[in-house]
Amino acid sequence: MSLLTLLPFIVLIGAMFLMTRSAKKKQQQAADMRNQMQPGSGIRTIGGMYATVKEVNEDTVLVDAGPGVDLLFAKNAIGAVLTDDEYNRIVHGIEHDLKSDADIVPDDASSLTETGDSAADASADDKAVDLGKKDAAEEPADEAKTDTEPKTDAEPKKTDGDSEAK
């Protein structure tokens, strides 16, 4: 057999070796992460539940999922061991951020539009808003005179279908 016919088999065996090597590496990292758990650590299970570790045994982990709720998990069911800041941010909504001294955006926009002159704001709110339409009682007398004149842009009369121009 020539080297050219063996080349595809050699490449295939090499690719399989590299894939199994990377999978073993990930498994080793996951095992190391699970072995670093200690009571008080925040964890996320592979099911997505967040809890605090109470006790670590050889193959199991006892976690506190809430007040009075203790659950027993296999170590393999632990998806991630979280840092304290990450656990508090996700579970309690507490953020330890350097930007905490920055301005906080309010929930409503009313504080963004206030000018500080409350007397001027109160008088402006009491006025009626003019939208350009006027009531018949508010029309001046000279406009009433123009209504008697024939309208040039009036609608044409409707007929019953007979027209003079044929």
Side-chain angles (χ1 to χ4, degrees):
M1 293 178 105
S2 70
L3 184 63
L4 192 58
T5 58
L6 291 177
L7 187 62
F9 294 111
I10 294 171
V11 170
L12 184 62
I13 291 171
M16 288 174 49
F17 173 74
L18 291 176
M19 286 192 294
T20 57
R21 183 175 164 224
S22 65
K24 284 182 182 179
K25 195 176 198 181
K26 286 182 183 179
Q27 286 177 349
Q28 184 62 37
Q29 287 176 345
D32 290 343
M33 179 257 322
R34 289 181 186 114
N35 289 332
Q36 291 176 357
M37 278 189 297
Q38 37 187 307
S41 300
I43 55 120
R44 181 181 66 236
T45 65
I46 58 174
M49 186 179 70
Y50 293 92
T52 305
V53 175
K54 283 184 84 174
E55 183 179 315
V56 179
N57 298 322
E58 190 173 326
D59 292 332
T60 60
V61 178
L62 182 68
V63 297
D64 181 21
V69 180
D70 293 339
L71 303 171
L72 186 65
F73 282 96
K75 271 192 176 180
N76 292 338
I78 306 303
V81 177
L82 307 172
T83 63
D84 291 338
D85 289 340
E86 186 178 13
Y87 181 77
N88 287 332
R89 180 183 58 83
I90 293 170
V91 175
H92 303 295
I94 300 170
E95 295 208 23
H96 296 286
D97 200 15
L98 296 176
K99 297 180 183 179
S100 62
D101 296 336
D103 293 336
I104 299 173
V105 177
D107 289 338
D108 62 341
S110 63
S111 64
L112 299 175
T113 58
E114 293 177 359
T115 59
D117 187 16
S118 60
D121 289 342
S123 64
D125 290 340
D126 293 340
K127 287 194 244 177
V129 177
D130 183 19
L131 299 176
K133 295 184 178 183
K134 297 181 181 179
D135 292 335
E138 293 180 345
E139 290 182 3
D142 51 56
E143 284 186 25
K145 292 178 186 177
T146 58
D147 287 342
T148 58
E149 298 174 8
K151 295 181 180 178
T152 57
D153 53 322
E155 289 185 23
K157 291 184 180 180
K158 293 184 180 179
T159 60
D160 55 338
D162 296 332
S163 63
E164 296 175 19
K166 288 190 179 181

